[in-house]
């Protein structure tokens, strides 16, 4: 069914918009060591691949930027690493990150924080996959692997002027990835342009490969059915499928928040205008459950994290504390190990997650958050023209619609091909200011990226130009923002094609390597 009104001119949209030991060293050098492709590689072309420090790669420690895993070696490649090695990847090194992926600015590492580059060293590189974005930004890798739980690939891309892609949940295997929140974790990719990402996932067929080791990996039969309902996979022709003419893009009115930087808002509007110039249609849409998405995420993700991290006790997994004669404290065998091994942000989320899973709080928090998650997914399904291949289509209840959204016809408001919104509400903040932020302030940065993660949808962040005051030195440095494009489930091929076509029209700045 339908969802949002189509205004034929950009004026309506204008009203909507206007109304950390190993990971630290990895940041200093960002990458180190060089490794030959594995035997059996079926690709004649090689490329350098940077791997986030929570994804296993033989020959490199996997520490998740945490003291509790310092020096930890996993004796096998993650499935995604093995797949890319078979396609010619040469592992350049492991990259810095937030501890266990918990953070927004790559500053919670136990070893050393990640910072931006190329004159922006005082600014945040985003998180938690900040090191992966920096490796690409510095030209030390053509492609980088990260993990995206609530925006951890897209946010660094927005802060570094690179491209960050989160595929549909279940498309890429998570086997060999140290989990944070199982129902949200997605392996993502970062590159300087959309091309290398589309080539790896679509052209080289990663989207077709089921991994029996990963229970969240979509089965082969379901993959074939989903692909048959989508365009752009076979043949992979981004120039043809990326044509913007005739497509409808939706701008969620709920994303025009008070905290949105005015320059980011203007860049968002300029991108919408450019889409109309290219023959696309831009309409306002409503995602009413968005206002509760961030709260739901920060209940669900810590709850799953508390469960996943319970095994790090120095007995089964993790480095045991040796600072005291006994690890036992008041009868708790592993208390000293976990106290010394985890950083403050990880402890905070473990405590929060443990509480929301407790018998006294589960009904009021965790169960309610899961209900919000279903509403978020329902909102997206109502907006998109394409139906979700994994769910039955639901009728649109007009009583749920915002008053500002007009009906397209008697069936309801207009539907869209893609959603368009900022990736981050601001340009990269100063690291000095980041350190002064409260946890709640930091969590707010994920407000635009979390909804797609809750719904398991593909989303990509591409750089966009924003207005600059030539007399303002900081604005001249921070002359870019991140534009996020979100598609329906398993519409990854068309999303990548459209993003690749749109990028040169909204970003005129060429990335220069160090």
């Amino acid at each position: 069914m339908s969802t949002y009104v189509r205004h034929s001119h950009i004026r309506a949209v204008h009203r909507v918009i206007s109304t950390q030991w190993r990971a630290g060293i990895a940041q200093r050098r960002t990458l180190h060591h060089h490794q030959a492709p594995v035997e059996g590689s079926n690709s004649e072309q090689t490329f350098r691949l940077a791997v986030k420090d929570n994804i296993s790669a033989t020959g490199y420690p996997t520490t998740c930027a945490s003291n509790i895993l310092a020096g930890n070696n996993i004796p096998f490649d993650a499935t995604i690493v093995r797949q890319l090695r078979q396609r010619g990847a040469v592992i350049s090194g492991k990259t810095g990150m937030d501890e266990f992926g918990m953070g927004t600015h790559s500053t919670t590492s136990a070893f050393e924080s990640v910072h931006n580059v190329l004159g922006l060293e005082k600014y945040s590189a985003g998180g938690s996959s900040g090191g992966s974005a920096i490796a690409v930004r510095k030209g030390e890798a053509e492609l980088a692997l990260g993990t995206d739980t609530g925006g951890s690939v897209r946010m660094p891309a927005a802060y570094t002027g690179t491209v960050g892609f989160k595929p549909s949940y279940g498309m890429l295997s998570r086997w060999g990835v140290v989990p944070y929140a199982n129902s949200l974790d997605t392996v993502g990719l970062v590159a300087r342009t959309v091309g290398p990402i589309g080539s790896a996932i679509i052209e080289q067929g990663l989207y077709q490969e089921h991994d029996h080791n990963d229970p969240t990996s979509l089965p082969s039969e379901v993959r074939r059915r989903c692909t048959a309902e989508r365009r752009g996979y076979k043949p992979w022709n981004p120039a043809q499928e990326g044509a913007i003419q005739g497509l409808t893009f939706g701008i969620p009115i709920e994303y025009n928040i008070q905290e949105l930087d005015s320059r980011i808002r203007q860049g968002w509007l300029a991108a919408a205008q450019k889409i109309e110039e290219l023959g696309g249609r831009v309409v306002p849409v409503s995602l009413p459950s968005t206002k509760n998405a961030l709260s739901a995420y920060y209940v669900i993700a810590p709850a799953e994290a508390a469960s996943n991290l319970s095994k790090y006790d120095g007995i089964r997994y993790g480095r045991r504390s040796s600072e005291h004669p006994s690890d036992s404290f008041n009868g708790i065998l592993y208390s000293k190990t976990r106290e010394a091994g985890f950083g403050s942000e990880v402890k905070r989320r473990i405590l929060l997650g443990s509480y929301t899973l407790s018998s006294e709080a589960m009904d009021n928090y965790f169960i309610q958050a899961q209900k919000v998650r279903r509403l978020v997914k329902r909102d997206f399904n109502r907006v998109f023209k394409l139906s979700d291949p994994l769910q039955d289509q639901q009728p649109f209840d007009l009583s749920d619609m915002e008053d500002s959204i007009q009906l397209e016809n008697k069936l309801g408001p207009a539907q869209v091909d893609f959603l368009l919104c900022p990736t981050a509400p601001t340009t990269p903040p100063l690291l000095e200011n980041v350190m002064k932020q409260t946890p709640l302030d930091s969590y707010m940065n994920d407000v635009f990226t979390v909804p797609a993660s809750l719904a398991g949808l593909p989303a990509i962040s591409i750089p966009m130009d924003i207005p600059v005051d030539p007399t303002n030195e900081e604005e001249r440095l921070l002359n870019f923002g991140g534009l996020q494009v979100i598609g329906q489930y398993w519409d990854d091929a068309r999303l990548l094609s459209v993003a690749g076509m749109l990028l040169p029209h909204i970003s005129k700045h060429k990335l220069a390597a160090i």
Side-chain angles (χ1 to χ4, degrees), residues 320-329 333 336-337:
R320 188 162 184 176
S321 174
S322 58
E323 296 181 3
H324 305 277
S326 171
D327 192 30
S328 177
F329 177 73
L333 176 61
K336 291 295 183 182
T337 289

Side-chain angles (χ1 to χ4, degrees), residues 71-92:
N72 172 62
N73 282 281
I74 299 178
F76 56 83
D77 279 337
T79 296
I80 184 64
V81 173
R82 173 182 57 79
Q83 290 170 329
L84 290 174
R85 276 181 162 165
Q86 291 172 349
R87 289 162 171 80
V90 176
I91 308 300
S92 302

Side-chain angles (χ1 to χ4, degrees), residues 12-25:
V13 177
H14 189 282
R15 288 195 294 271
V16 171
I17 296 182
S18 304
T19 16
Q20 253 209 145
W21 167 64
R22 167 136 178 67
I25 294 175

Side-chain angles (χ1 to χ4, degrees), residues 275-289:
I275 286 172
E276 286 213 325
E277 292 173 10
L278 295 172
R281 188 182 181 199
V282 182
V283 300
V285 299
S286 178
L287 301 171
S289 300

Side-chain angles (χ1 to χ4, degrees), residues 41-55:
S41 171
N42 55 21
S43 174
E44 295 181 358
Q45 293 185 334
T46 62
F47 60 93
R48 294 171 298 169
L49 176 70
V51 181
K52 188 177 179 179
D53 199 21
N54 63 344
I55 303 175

Side-chain angles (χ1 to χ4, degrees), residues 111-173:
F111 311 120
E112 188 176 335
S113 298
V114 177
H115 58 75
N116 222 315
V117 291
L118 298 178
L120 301 178
E121 285 79 5
K122 295 181 179 180
Y123 294 87
S124 168
S128 63
S129 306
S132 296
I134 291 300
V136 169
R137 185 67 180 88
K138 293 174 68 176
E140 295 176 332
E142 283 74 49
L143 193 65
L145 288 176
T147 54
D148 194 306
T149 307
S152 298
V153 162
R154 290 163 285 162
M155 189 68 69
Y159 283 174
T160 59
T162 54
V163 175
F165 177 60
K166 182 197 88 71
S168 295
Y169 183 82
M171 177 176 282
L172 299 184
S173 172

